[in-house]
Amino acid sequence: MTDQFDLTADQREIQDLARRFTADRITPFAAEWDETHHYPVDVWKAAGDLGFGSIYVSEESGGIALGRLEAALIMEAMAYGCPATSAFISIHNMAAWMIDRFGSAELKARFLPDLVSMDKIASYCLTEPGSGSDAAALKTTARRDGDDFILNGTKQFISGAGYNDVYVVMVRTGEEKSRGISALVVERDTPGLSFGAPEKKLGWNASPTAQVIFEDARVPAANLVGGEGEGFRIAMAGLDGGRLNIGACSLGGAQRCLDEAIRYTKERQQFGQPVAEFQNTQFTLADMATDLEASRALLYLAAAKVTANAPDKSRFSAMAKRLATDNGSAIVDAALQLHGGYGYLKDYPIERFWRDLRVHSILEGTNQVMRMIVGRDLLRQ
């Protein structure tokens, strides 16, 4: 076998580092965070010390400048303990990368040092109450007033809203649908910025979600990321990586539930033998493992394409996100079934993963939109 299909020594080292961090700082506490809706900010700081707040931020900006496959390995390892925590690291990285990749030298100098260390944590604000999949229909306005923009509007389903320090916000600065959108960095203490009540969710309880509300919020024009009117392109560029990461979070959660199912079915006795001895159990486990490996292979391939800036990177990111998140949820569901009634109890971790992974088919672009992206790209050839 050629090493083309294997991880490098450096990649294995990063994977091992993330796995050790997860086993030490995330896995033992994840059930409690879910139960108490605790947002583990102290864990972010520790992750920042390892460079996990700036995985693909350039070295010039203080990041660790790794590729998208390395990022996926980190997300996958962390999701083994808690998908909500891992997904949050993904969102922070996406926002930090957008500032690093498209921001001015002055903007980078102001915001990146604290984001890289995770002394400050970032949110990504695209979705609105009236624009989900049709992201370019966003209505939050930014009206120029001297050296500032005056923001009005509401962002919906924002992870970390009210807790996080920095918000990368997509706003409307012009009439044109997608070409009239710009990206602005907004700080939490900006007058006119407020937050809705925390949403009550099925899962992702370790990650608070709320509306971000702008009422004549004054933001310096110097906080523009890229040029005026470039926001939608920047938002979409960020999502290629975000889709890989959320797919990787599903891989990590599915791997955990597969491992739990193997352990449980070996121990659980019915009809005088371990449940694992039944052919039905073995066939189920075999299908779970096969679907997981197929999803992982496609996701790693897509990650390599995004790192290389391949022309088909967006199609492969969409394919990988769709497959990994759908298969991830199906694998966790099968693991719950193999646990029987115990899988439905909070004494076991399966039900938490079942709840947490369900949203992965919706966010960073629904899996229906992923099919749309792939289908359009195929027909464009």
Side-chain angles (χ1 to χ4, degrees):
M1 176 171 169
T2 65
D3 57 7
Q4 179 191 348
F5 295 104
D6 206 3
L7 299 179
T8 65
D10 285 350
Q11 288 166 343
R12 289 202 183 282
E13 202 173 313
I14 288 154
Q15 186 180 51
D16 286 344
L17 179 66
R19 283 174 173 171
R20 286 198 304 274
F21 179 80
T22 302
D24 188 31
R25 298 298 303 265
I26 299 177
T27 307
F29 312 105
E32 186 190 336
W33 297 342
D34 174 64
E35 191 77 30
T36 61
H37 294 225
H38 173 68
Y39 188 43
V41 174
D42 54 322
V43 176
W44 302 139
K45 309 291 185 217
D49 291 341
L50 297 178
F52 292 170
S54 57
I55 300 167
Y56 35 88
V57 169
S58 63
E59 285 181 340
E60 304 90 81
S61 298
I64 57 173
L66 297 175
R68 299 313 174 103
L69 176 51
E70 289 83 356
L73 294 172
I74 292 167
M75 303 303 159
E76 185 178 350
M78 293 177 81
Y80 193 90
C82 175
T85 300
S86 184
F88 203 82
I89 293 274
S90 162
I91 294 164
H92 173 86
N93 271 277
M94 185 162 68
W97 174 80
M98 287 161 74
I99 294 171
D100 181 44
R101 175 76 180 74
F102 300 102
S104 67
E106 184 267 341
L107 191 72
K108 291 196 269 196
R110 259 198 304 145
F111 287 104
L112 283 177
D114 286 337
L115 293 177
V116 161
S117 62
M118 293 193 86
D119 287 326
K120 290 189 174 172
I121 304 172
S123 289
Y124 172 88
C125 308
L126 175 64
T127 300
E128 298 186 0
S131 61
S133 292
D134 186 10
L138 66 85
K139 289 188 168 65
T140 296
T141 57
R143 179 177 53 79
R144 192 67 186 249
D145 183 39
D147 289 337
D148 299 324
F149 284 103
I150 309 296
L151 272 60
N152 281 285
T154 301
K155 294 294 178 179
Q156 179 76 13
F157 301 130
I158 304 306
S159 294
Y163 291 81
N164 290 355
D165 311 279
V166 174
Y167 298 83
V168 178
V169 186
M170 303 305 141
V171 293
R172 182 159 298 290
T173 50
E175 295 304 310
E176 287 281 329
K177 195 171 176 186
S178 62
R179 287 195 294 276
I181 294 170
S182 302
L184 278 169
V185 181
V186 182
E187 297 182 77
R188 181 174 58 184
D189 56 6
T190 301
L193 170 61
S194 63
F195 305 96
E199 303 287 3
K200 297 179 172 72
K201 311 190 294 286
L202 174 68
W204 269 34
N205 290 326
S207 174
T209 307
Q211 287 187 336
V212 175
I213 302 157
F214 302 99
E215 295 166 301
D216 290 330
R218 185 176 286 273
V219 178
N223 286 20
L224 266 175
V225 183
E228 213 172 300
E230 289 180 5
F232 194 72
R233 183 175 65 82
I234 291 170
M236 293 303 107
L239 282 175
D240 274 337
R243 284 165 184 158
L244 294 173
N245 290 345
I246 214 70
C249 290
S250 282
L251 297 179
Q255 184 68 61
R256 170 73 180 280
C257 291
L258 173 60
D259 291 349
E260 296 282 349
I262 291 168
R263 185 181 308 124
Y264 180 82
T265 55
K266 281 174 160 178
E267 291 170 1
R268 174 72 171 166
Q269 299 263 340
Q270 287 295 286
F271 303 101
Q273 63 178 7
V275 172
E277 295 294 318
F278 293 101
Q279 195 176 46
N280 173 67
T281 304
Q282 293 171 16
F283 281 10
T284 301
L285 292 170
D287 285 346
M288 291 161 74
T290 303
D291 289 345
L292 179 54
E293 291 298 349
S295 303
R296 183 177 282 133
L298 180 59
L299 190 114
Y300 288 6
L301 172 62
K305 284 180 180 284
V306 173
T307 300
N309 203 24
D312 54 3
K313 64 177 182 174
S314 293
R315 186 201 334 163
F316 272 81
S317 294
M319 290 162 91
K321 190 269 185 184
R322 206 285 298 162
L323 191 70
T325 55
D326 280 350
N327 279 350
S329 288
I331 290 162
V332 174
D333 193 67
L336 199 155
Q337 191 69 21
L338 287 173
H339 278 72
Y342 292 103
Y344 205 67
L345 299 182
K346 295 206 171 186
D347 307 51
Y348 291 81
I350 306 296
E351 61 81 33
R352 171 168 56 86
F353 284 89
W354 191 87
R355 288 182 288 110
D356 282 351
L357 260 55
R358 180 60 185 84
V359 76
H360 295 188
S361 301
I362 298 169
L363 45 74
E364 309 286 38
T366 66
N367 285 7
Q368 288 67 36
V369 168
M370 295 306 99
R371 291 177 172 94
M372 208 165 77
I373 290 167
V374 175
R376 281 178 182 169
D377 198 58
L378 291 171
L379 294 174
R380 203 177 283 134
Q381 291 172 10

